[in-house]
Amino acid sequence: MKMKNLKKSCLALFILSSVVPFSYAAQELTPEKAASLQSFKEISIRGSYYNESDYARAISKAADKQDAAYFYITSVNSHPSNDSLRIIYARLYKADATELVKPQDNFRQFAGIYEYPKATAIHFEPFDIVRLRGYFPTQVALNNAVAKEASSRGAYAFFIDRLVQVNNSGNQQVTAYIFKKDAPERKLQPDNAIPYDSEAGQQALAQGGEAAMQVERPGYYSSSSFNEQFYADKFNNKSVKDVETTTDTNLAAAVKSGETAQNMTANTDAESKTAIAATAPAVSAKPSIVPQKSSRYTVTLPNGTKIEELNDATAAKMVPFDSIKFRGYYVTAQEISFNAGKKAAEKGAKYYHISRIAQDSKGPNKTIYVDLYR
């Protein structure tokens, strides 16, 4: 019992050395310390706050009401209809918050570089894109080629995001993201986050509390994919490198010793479970107030107008201002989305959701039902 109390006392002393001094009881953690502790709750508050000190005082006061000993501000949102109004998001921690244990990396290696499964890669910010074009007779040959290129650029890990055939030839083009060992955290939006600039988003932000937690946050990304165009522009890297591979790729040479051929073909469920618990880097010290929207299918009309398609989960949180239906012959989902987006834009919508597609009982035509949102 004495040993347990001693451990708690030591943990509390360690946390106190990692906080930002403040007048209220709840203290603000440094980014490094916040990333190493288990939060028990996330909250949001809203009000007229003009600087970081104002944010911290308000969150500290709110944290006291939740019996929290520490807090960490994750992001700051400006209200879309009131520039002076801010929505502050923060994680809360107990005095005896559990220290997160950082497990050892348990990923496959190619040419000395780790291969991240998607569940891991999506949580980290890449520092560059690798695009290769060539003949890859096996998955091992493909991974090895990407790993060698990643190694030449000083990467710690890579993730293959896309692989396509080149003009029906035997060649393939691969797009991969590469990461440093201390890659910053890529904070993720839930897939059903309400659009920040939508009517429903404005209402939720005005309501505050749990409602505001459902809205897209600044600096957060889609949890389902990387945006290749965004990162290509960010890194100013759109080049494709032609490479040559040979067929004498050796399993033992391609990966670290001790792995089996079965492990080479695909990531196991165990790897995916390990992925989310992989070593977490510290988060950004200063939250941005610039909204960053989730990646959605976007229809761009000939006049330059853009309108976005909502998924089922997001649409379920919003109330449409109108609904339309139209009928025609459509071969692909892209054709349906384009025509739905075009008709939604004509009605003054910012977003649309295809609620139902009904196939005619006689003939190839379909009837498309679409909900419209501001």
Side-chain angles (χ1 to χ4, degrees):
M1 188 68 178
K2 289 182 178 180
M3 180 61 70
K4 184 177 181 181
N5 290 335
L6 179 60
K7 287 182 177 179
K8 285 188 175 182
S9 298
C10 291
L11 177 59
L13 183 62
F14 181 51
I15 294 175
L16 284 173
S17 67
S18 306
V19 301
V20 178
F22 207 68
S23 57
Y24 288 102
Q27 300 293 304
E28 184 176 11
L29 295 175
T30 62
E32 295 76 17
K33 193 59 193 173
S36 70
L37 295 176
Q38 179 66 56
S39 167
F40 77 90
K41 190 174 185 179
E42 192 169 12
I43 63 169
S44 70
I45 61 172
R46 67 188 183 98
S48 295
Y49 311 116
Y50 300 99
N51 54 50
E52 292 181 14
S53 296
D54 289 345
Y55 305 160
R57 274 193 293 269
I59 285 292
S60 181
K61 188 175 181 180
D64 287 349
K65 294 179 180 179
Q66 299 287 338
D67 295 323
Y70 311 101
F71 67 90
Y72 177 69
I73 296 174
T74 57
S75 62
V76 179
N77 227 336
S78 58
H79 195 280
S81 61
N82 185 347
D83 288 340
S84 66
L85 184 62
R86 298 282 187 266
I87 296 88
I88 318 299
Y89 301 89
R91 293 197 295 260
L92 304 183
Y93 304 82
K94 294 291 188 181
D96 58 350
T98 303
E99 191 104 22
L100 296 177
V101 178
K102 296 181 179 180
Q104 295 295 316
D105 289 334
N106 187 29
F107 308 120
R108 300 186 298 177
Q109 283 189 22
F110 296 83
I113 305 297
Y114 285 109
E115 178 201 23
Y116 279 165
K118 183 176 182 178
T120 296
I122 207 73
H123 286 269
F124 299 111
E125 191 71 24
F127 74 91
D128 206 349
I129 293 179
V130 168
R131 292 187 183 85
L132 303 179
R133 182 170 51 214
Y135 172 64
F136 307 108
T138 66
Q139 184 67 40
V140 175
L142 172 63
N143 288 10
N144 220 28
V146 172
K148 287 178 180 178
E149 182 64 21
S151 178
S152 71
R153 302 191 194 187
Y156 172 77
F158 69 91
F159 164 65
I160 295 176
D161 185 55
R162 192 163 63 94
L163 182 65
V164 296
Q165 293 288 335
V166 179
N167 299 326
N168 294 321
S169 66
N171 288 345
Q172 296 173 306
Q173 182 170 313
V174 57
T175 300
Y177 294 90
I178 56 178
F179 308 85
K180 295 290 188 181
K181 185 174 184 179
D182 57 349
E185 180 184 9
R186 189 174 182 266
K187 296 181 290 185
L188 305 178
Q189 297 275 15
D191 286 336
N192 61 352
I194 300 173
Y196 170 83
D197 60 352
S198 67
E199 191 174 74
Q202 293 182 35
Q203 291 172 353
L205 290 175
Q207 185 177 340
E210 290 299 321
M213 301 293 287
Q214 305 300 312
V215 182
E216 291 174 339
R217 303 188 202 177
Y220 280 59
Y221 295 87
S222 166
S223 61
S224 59
S225 65
F226 288 97
N227 184 323
E228 184 175 345
Q229 183 62 46
F230 169 78
Y231 283 108
D233 292 340
K234 178 180 178 180
F235 302 141
N236 192 25
N237 179 1
K238 299 181 181 180
S239 62
V240 179
K241 181 178 179 180
D242 289 310
V243 297
E244 293 184 3
T245 57
T246 59
T247 57
D248 60 350
T249 304
N250 181 301
L251 289 183
V255 295
K256 61 184 180 181
S257 59
E259 295 214 358
T260 65
Q262 182 179 3
N263 287 338
M264 287 300 307
T265 58
N267 291 323
T268 63
D269 290 340
E271 284 177 316
S272 296
K273 291 176 181 177
T274 304
I276 297 177
T279 302
V283 294
S284 174
K286 292 186 178 180
S288 167
I289 62 171
V290 179
Q292 178 154 351
K293 300 166 71 174
S294 296
S295 298
R296 295 190 180 90
Y297 185 82
T298 301
V299 171
T300 302
L301 302 178
N303 64 2
T305 300
K306 295 180 184 294
I307 183 166
E308 296 182 11
E309 181 175 345
L310 301 176
N311 60 33
D312 293 343
T314 299
K317 292 183 176 182
M318 303 169 65
V319 179
F321 73 87
D322 198 0
S323 295
I324 61 173
K325 67 177 181 178
F326 59 93
R327 182 171 173 270
Y329 174 66
Y330 305 106
V331 177
T332 67
Q334 287 78 11
E335 287 182 276
I336 294 174
S337 290
F338 180 83
N339 283 277
K342 180 181 178 181
K343 296 179 185 301
E346 291 171 353
K347 289 281 190 176
K350 285 184 179 179
Y351 302 91
Y352 70 93
H353 173 244
I354 298 174
S355 59
R356 187 159 68 94
I357 300 176
Q359 178 71 54
D360 283 6
S361 58
K362 296 181 180 180
N365 287 344
K366 298 180 176 71
T367 301
I368 316 300
Y369 296 83
V370 185
D371 293 328
L372 309 181
Y373 303 83
R374 291 193 177 96

